Amino acid sequence: TNRFFFFMVFRWLLVAVLAAAALSEEFSDEVKTGQELSSGQKNRMPDFSDMEVRKVLKCGLCAATVREFGFTIAKAEFEAEDRGAKLRGFDYSDIMDQVCTTGMDGYGLILKQDGTPSNEWSNEDATFRAKGGQISRMVKNVCSEVYDEHEEQLRRDAPKLCPRGVPAEQCTTTRLAKKVCGKKGMKFCSDERLADMEVLEHHAITGEWPEGADVEEGAGRWEGKQAPRGWQKLSGPPEGINVHKPDL
């Protein structure tokens, strides 16, 4: 009887500990990602009804979608190659479906220093960001639109831009984003915005500014606008020019 009593006590204690841990993890993630916004924060959300604001938001998401497709497909191809196999048609379909159903779940709008959502996207775990509601719907919708319109091109070209063993931010997918997201594709991104992304991507990977890049001229366009994933890691532009990191 004593043994049974102690067993039941231990069982209930274990259940209580696990429940508390799960609650703590859920609360921690909610605070960390900023999913629950105050009424003041919600009132200062980007104006989703403004077409220019929507284009800025969709431009950043489109470029992020191209990068995620490239990284995810390339990783799967390398893993299959290591097994002495090749991906088949339905493998690609499954992989690309998963990018839009779960692979973009981490993306949210970066919170500014005052706690309100910016126009910037990130999926970095260390970055406070707003998710849920119309933000998450836009993430999934843009991913689906890009997938539907450019499936073959993404499947064929995106993984070529992600070398083996590098993190996603080291993929040079902006050149493909020009075709997919620019005026010849989804029309989400202006030529200027894509040119800025390419400059920032080059700097994020090499630590250097491309030869001939007019960093000072780009300052006004970069400030407060969507930069490619990894912009937080930039070491800085030439001395005296503070344009590499939007003022959040």
Side-chain angles (χ1 to χ4, degrees), residues 173-220:
T173 50
T174 302
R175 69 182 82 169
L176 180 57
K178 283 185 173 182
K179 299 177 182 178
V180 174
C181 310
K183 60 185 179 182
K184 293 183 179 179
M186 304 298 295
K187 298 180 174 61
F188 293 152
C189 300
S190 66
D191 290 343
E192 281 186 342
R193 190 69 200 102
L194 288 165
D196 291 344
M197 283 186 176
E198 199 162 33
V199 169
L200 287 169
E201 179 184 79
H202 178 89
H203 188 280
I205 293 172
T206 67
E208 300 176 355
W209 296 101
E211 185 177 353
D214 193 338
V215 180
E216 187 169 11
E217 188 273 334

Side-chain angles (χ1 to χ4, degrees), residues 14-212:
L14 180 61
V15 170
V17 169
L18 291 176
L23 181 62
S24 174
E25 181 178 354
E26 179 181 354
F27 177 76
S28 174
D29 182 63
E30 183 174 279
V31 172
K32 186 174 184 179
T33 59
Q35 291 181 0
E36 293 298 324
L37 301 178
S38 68
S39 59
Q41 288 174 315
K42 290 178 181 177
N43 291 335
R44 296 177 65 184
M45 284 272 289
D47 185 359
F48 281 71
S49 65
D50 186 309
M51 294 304 296
E52 288 304 310
V53 172
R54 287 180 67 85
K55 282 187 69 174
V56 170
L57 295 172
K58 287 188 172 185
C59 174
L61 278 177
C62 184
T65 298
V66 172
R67 183 169 47 251
E68 293 299 332
F69 274 127
F71 176 74
T72 306
I73 296 172
K75 183 179 178 183
E77 287 181 342
F78 290 136
E79 290 174 351
E81 184 180 310
D82 291 341
R83 300 192 305 268
K86 287 186 177 182
L87 297 182
R88 292 162 289 185
F90 64 83
D91 293 322
Y92 283 101
S93 296
D94 288 345
I95 292 167
M96 297 180 80
D97 285 342
Q98 288 174 11
V99 170
C100 287
T101 55
T102 60
M104 299 288 290
D105 284 353
Y107 279 91
L109 291 176
I110 297 174
L111 297 180
K112 301 176 185 177
Q113 291 179 347
D114 63 2
T116 58
S118 67
N119 290 347
E120 314 292 332
W121 297 98
S122 176
N123 66 348
E124 297 285 348
D125 289 337
T127 303
F128 288 87
R129 56 207 188 279
K131 297 169 60 180
Q134 58 186 337
I135 297 173
S136 295
R137 283 195 297 274
M138 176 176 277
V139 172
K140 289 189 180 295
N141 288 343
V142 169
C143 187
S144 296
E145 288 178 48
V146 172
Y147 179 20
D148 291 342
E149 293 292 327
H150 296 276
E151 178 180 359
E152 289 303 318
Q153 187 176 30
L154 289 167
R155 173 177 163 177
R156 181 185 66 246
D157 297 334
K160 299 175 184 176
L161 305 175
C162 294
R164 178 187 286 268
V166 303
E169 57 264 25
Q170 296 293 314
C171 295
T172 55
T173 50
T174 302
R175 69 182 82 169
L176 180 57
K178 283 185 173 182
K179 299 177 182 178
V180 174
C181 310
K183 60 185 179 182
K184 293 183 179 179
M186 304 298 295
K187 298 180 174 61
F188 293 152
C189 300
S190 66
D191 290 343
E192 281 186 342
R193 190 69 200 102
L194 288 165
D196 291 344
M197 283 186 176
E198 199 162 33
V199 169
L200 287 169
E201 179 184 79
H202 178 89
H203 188 280
I205 293 172
T206 67
E208 300 176 355
W209 296 101
E211 185 177 353

